[in-house]
């Protein structure tokens, strides 16, 4: 069990899995930086009141170079290292149109800018802090929808393609930092009761808290492993290996 002070950054912390990850990290005694996209998130305000010494809430739009740079400056002003960076922020885009329907390319570019470039923007910008951390652990929240081998859909173009690209990005980053002690884990959070489709998916099998808790158990189990010998894994929240 890691006993040293640990520091984490979570994007997309407004609700769902991101908010649950913040809660779980605080319970694990991490100092947490939470990237908030919305103007006002009462749940984060409540957490801030309860953990004023260990939670910093930062306004963050991962689709913006300037916003990410401001978040980095604010984080670097408070800490010189990060142990864990969690790229969780994502959007869905249109999930109904097939190749036989009109496709909204401008919206697709927006989805890519958040889901794929947004995570890369965060990882590249925050890498100097991450590589100074004890764990040097990068966690990218992907999806089973990013698996090319197991693809069964005929729509969800923006989301599926952006997550497949995120998976490739994760492998590239892992290859670039493993000799420096860093590693990347790619996780599908499961079918979670979130608002990704604009309303609560109450039929989903997992609460955000169940998903977040399971994901962080995967992280904690890998932190002590030799990063130079570890590969970039693509798994679900329970640790089941997924096909790239």
């Amino acid at each position: 069990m890691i006993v040293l002070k640990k520091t984490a950054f979570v994007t997309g912390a407004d609700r769902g899995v991101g908010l649950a990850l913040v809660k779980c990290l605080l319970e694990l005694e991490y100092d947490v930086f939470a990237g908030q996209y919305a103007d006002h998130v009462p749940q984060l305000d409540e957490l801030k009141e309860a953990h004023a010494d260990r939670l910093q809430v930062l306004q963050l739009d991962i689709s913006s170079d300037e916003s990410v740079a401001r978040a980095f400056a604010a984080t670097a002003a408070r800490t010189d290292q990060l142990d864990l960076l969690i790229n969780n922020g994502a959007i869905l885009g249109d999930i109904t149109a097939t190749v036989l329907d009109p496709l909204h390319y401008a919206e697709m570019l927006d989805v890519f800018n958040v889901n794929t470039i947004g995570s890369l923007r965060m990882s590249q910008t925050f890498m100097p802090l991450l590589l100074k951390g004890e764990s040097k652990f990068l966690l990218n929240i992907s999806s089973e929808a990013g698996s090319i081998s197991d693809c069964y859909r005929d729509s969800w173009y923006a989301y599926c393609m952006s997550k497949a690209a995120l998976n490739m990005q994760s492998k590239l980053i892992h290859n670039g930092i493993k000799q420096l002690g860093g590693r990347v884990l790619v996780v599908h959070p499961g079918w979670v009761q979130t608002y990704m489709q604009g309303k609560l998916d109450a039929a989903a099998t997992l609460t955000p808290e169940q998903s977040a808790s399971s994901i962080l158990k995967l992280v904690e189990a890998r932190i002590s492993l030799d990063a130079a010998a570890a590969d970039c894994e693509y798994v679900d929240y329970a640790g089941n290996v997924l096909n790239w």
Side-chain angles (χ1 to χ4, degrees), residues 79-233:
T79 183
D80 62 358
Q81 59 86 29
L82 283 177
D83 293 292
L84 175 62
L85 172 60
I86 303 180
N87 285 315
N88 167 76
I91 56 178
L92 191 58
D94 179 73
I95 62 172
T96 60
T98 73
V99 73
L100 303 177
D101 302 307
L103 293 171
H104 306 291
Y105 298 113
E107 182 192 68
M108 288 185 187
L109 289 173
D110 289 340
V111 173
F112 266 84
N113 194 26
V114 173
N115 296 3
T116 308
I117 304 302
S119 62
L120 181 59
R121 189 178 279 117
M122 283 293 301
S123 297
Q124 191 273 334
T125 302
F126 280 78
M127 193 58 65
L129 294 181
L130 192 67
L131 291 179
K132 291 179 182 177
E134 182 71 21
S135 304
K136 302 178 178 62
F137 205 107
L138 175 60
L139 173 62
N140 282 337
I141 303 299
S142 184
S143 170
E144 53 77 26
S147 171
I148 295 174
S149 297
D150 293 336
C151 178
Y152 62 88
R153 297 174 175 88
D154 63 359
S155 57
W156 295 57
Y157 274 88
Y159 191 75
C160 290
M161 291 191 302
S162 69
K163 290 299 188 178
L166 173 62
N167 292 353
M168 174 59 81
Q169 173 198 135
S170 301
K171 180 67 172 179
L172 292 170
I173 294 175
H174 181 85
N175 291 346
I177 66 174
K178 64 181 180 180
Q179 296 303 325
L180 300 174
R183 76 197 69 201
V184 183
L185 177 65
V186 187
V187 176
H188 163 51
W191 188 20
V192 185
Q193 296 167 13
T194 68
Y195 290 84
M196 282 286 285
Q197 299 187 42
K199 60 181 180 180
L200 180 64
D201 190 353
T205 55
L206 295 171
T207 67
E209 290 74 22
Q210 289 171 327
S211 175
S213 177
S214 296
I215 289 169
L216 291 177
K217 287 178 182 177
L218 298 179
V219 172
E220 291 289 297
R222 286 161 174 76
I223 279 179
S224 61
L225 301 178
D226 180 12
D231 198 3
C232 179
E233 297 177 85

Side-chain angles (χ1 to χ4, degrees), residues 9-46:
F9 196 113
V10 182
T11 71
D14 302 60
R15 61 187 182 184
V17 174
L19 179 61
L21 284 166
V22 171
K23 293 177 181 177
C24 289
L25 286 166
L26 289 169
E27 292 173 1
L28 292 170
E29 301 298 323
Y30 275 80
D31 285 353
V32 182
F33 294 85
Q36 171 184 315
Y37 178 74
D39 291 333
H40 181 55
V41 181
Q43 297 93 327
L44 282 177
D45 292 341
E46 293 172 6

